Amino acid sequence: KGMAAPEKAATMLNAIQMSEARQLKPNSVETERIITVLDETIAKLELSSLVPRIIDSLDRFVDMLGPEITNKLIEHQKLSNEMRDLLSSAEEENTVSAEEQRSCLHLLEQRLKCSVRNILRLLLANPSLCQALKYEIQTRESPADMFIKAFGEFRNLMLERLLTSPVEEEEKIRFMEDLSLQIEKNTEAITALQAELAAAIRTREEEIHKKDNEIKILKSSMQELTEACKTGIQQMKEEGEKQQKEELQASRARCARLRQEVQQLGAQLHALVLEHRESELALRKRKCRVEMEIMNWVQKYDTDMAEKQAEYEEVSAAYAQEKAQLSLLTEKHAMLLQEYSQIQEERRIRQEKEERELEELNTKTRAATRIQAFWRGYLVRSVLKPKKKKGKGKGKGKGKGKGKGKGKGKKAKK
């Protein structure tokens, strides 16, 4: 937070400066005149700084400057040389009195000033020439450029002061005071943080020192452990060598005892070999008989299997033939089934057609019956109309009723 406040204040200050720079426009005749004078002074200073560089490469700019300006520049160069010679002679020889030197210097200064004013007047009368000279002459840093830059900053400061009202000036002063107070608070916070950081660094260094001491102690203990391990290993080697010698003697005695046992077991083996040789011969004879029987059974199995294989081949051939017949019958069945389905479809279509025709016939019959009934009723009404016109009053109503009744009876009979 302490570091963020100065950044915020700097941002606010930059924003204020930018807004002020946008508002730096002359709002009165006096301000415009002052700024115009300062701008003209800056332009004259820039041109006057170019004069020595133009004189140094006068041959290059003769055609551009013209004879009048060239002559003025040559006169100015002569005056400058006279001033330099006078100053050098005054430093080397002290024969001339100080008053004469001051009078001569004063005269040369007046003549140099008049010469510079004349040159500037001629150059300012031709703005395009001034722009061309600025473009052609290579810019180099010099004390005059530094002075021009400082004078430009003075011009901006003067414009800002002229455009700033007393209220704005007070607000700016108040803002700067607040900013300075904020900076002081931030510096105090920074110093406090730096103190905390230094304390933390000290504690860290103390911890590191403790760790170093612990490491040294551990290293010394490790050295002691290595020495103890070396002595233990030496003792173990000595004990191992001693135990090895004892075990070697015991193994030699054990080997002698085992040799005796081997000899005894060899004699027993020879006796057992002689004893079991006869039984081995009997078992071999039995083995031969068993092998012969196995061979006979194998041959019998082969003959049986050959017969079974022949029978299997015959059955498989018959099966293949029957399978081919079955496939033919299946194809015929599929064809017959397809024909049957077509016949069924044709029957269904014909039946539907007959049903439609029957329904159409019934419809036409009903329509004809209704038309005939309507026509007969029409004929009956046309026959009964003259009779109705002859009757009047009740007789007319009765005849009408009778006519209706007769018509209904005829319709019902029909």
Side-chain angles (χ1 to χ4, degrees), residues 19 39 80 86 104 118 129 167 224 235 260 297 315 318 394:
S19 64
D39 291 336
S80 299
L86 182 61
C104 291
N118 293 328
L129 177 62
V167 177
E224 293 175 357
Q235 291 176 0
Q260 291 176 2
W297 281 106
V315 172
K394 295 180 180 179

Side-chain angles (χ1 to χ4, degrees), residues 304-319:
D304 293 339
M305 288 304 294
E307 292 175 358
K308 295 289 184 184
Q309 182 67 27
E311 187 179 356
Y312 172 74
E313 289 177 355
E314 291 176 359
V315 172
S316 63
Y319 173 74

Side-chain angles (χ1 to χ4, degrees), residues 340-353:
Y340 176 74
S341 62
Q342 289 178 358
I343 291 165
Q344 289 291 331
E345 184 67 21
E346 289 175 358
R347 285 179 181 175
R348 187 183 62 77
I349 292 168
R350 189 166 57 252
Q351 187 177 359
E352 289 178 356
K353 186 176 180 182

